[in-house]
Every structure is written in C-alpha cells, then in structure tokens.
C-alpha cells in the first residue's frame, strides 16, 4: 500500500521560512520523479517543484530562487525548503509521485497524472 506522510506546515509571517517533509512507503521511491504541489481555494493546482531520480530539479516560476526541493532516497524522503514566503504561497501543500519511472519530470510537474499523493500539510503566510 502506497502511503505519503507530509509534515512541516504551519503559519508564518511574510518573509519567513518553512521546511516541508514527505516520507513515502509502499513502492520503490528512488526510481520515481517526486513533486510538491499546492492547492489554494478557488485556484488551480500548481506544480511547485519536482525532482527526478538523478536529482535534476524543476520549479514553477513563482517560487524560483525561494524554494528548494531535495530528496533522500535512502530514507524514502522528500523535502521542500521554503524561504522568503509570501501571502500568495498560502495553500495546502502535498507530495506526489509520478505515475511511472520513465515519466518526464518537468512535464509531469506542469500538469501530469496524480494517482499517488499525500493528504497534504497547510501553509499559511500572513502579511
């Protein structure tokens, strides 16, 4: 059974930082592209960042230079370091795995199939 457990969300003031974590189980984590996505009320889902098995990263323009995605394959863990947070970063953040080991990671981040994802952790940024 595939499971994802996210943590690290919370409430911060603009300019602050948070570090999200996602621990996966039930599949071979190391061979799949992994991503962080966010969903805010009345907004479309956004692929925030993705990281391929080889460590290659992809980011949404809205977070480039502020967010950093990383992974620890030995611990089946995915991370998102978020700095210089803005009120518009407020959303439910969740991690997801690409559907296949050969899925193109940047393309998937921008709008691919998500059939394996976590419940999410809320991030709220106040001005």
């Amino acid at each position: 059974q595939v499971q994802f457990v996210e943590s690290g969300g919370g409430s911060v003031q603009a300019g602050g930082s948070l570090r999200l974590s996602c621990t996966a189980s039930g599949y071979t984590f190391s061979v799949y592209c992994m991503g962080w996505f966010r969903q805010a009320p009345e907004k479309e889902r956004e692929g925030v960042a993705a990281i391929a098995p080889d460590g290659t990263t992809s980011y949404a323009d809205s977070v480039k230079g502020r967010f950093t995605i990383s992974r620890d394959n030995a611990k089946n863990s995915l991370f998102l370091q978020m700095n210089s947070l803005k009120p518009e970063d407020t959303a439910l953040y969740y991690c997801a795995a690409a559907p296949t080991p050969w899925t193109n990671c940047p393309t998937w981040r921008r709008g691919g199939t998500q059939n394996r994802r976590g419940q999410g952790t809320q991030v709220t940024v106040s001005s």
Side-chain angles (χ1 to χ4, degrees), residues 90-105:
T90 295
L92 180 72
Y93 287 71
Y94 62 91
C95 62
T100 72
W102 51 87
T103 298
N104 180 276
C105 207

Side-chain angles (χ1 to χ4, degrees), residues 4 27-37 49-58 69 71 73 78 95-109 113 116:
F4 302 92
Y27 72 106
T28 308
F29 176 86
S30 62
V31 303
Y32 288 86
C33 169
M34 292 293 299
W36 285 100
F37 298 81
I51 184 167
D54 67 357
T56 303
T57 57
S58 169
I69 189 172
R71 66 191 296 163
N73 289 335
L78 180 72
C95 62
T100 72
W102 51 87
T103 298
N104 180 276
C105 207
T107 300
W108 175 70
R109 177 187 63 76
T113 300
R116 296 181 296 177

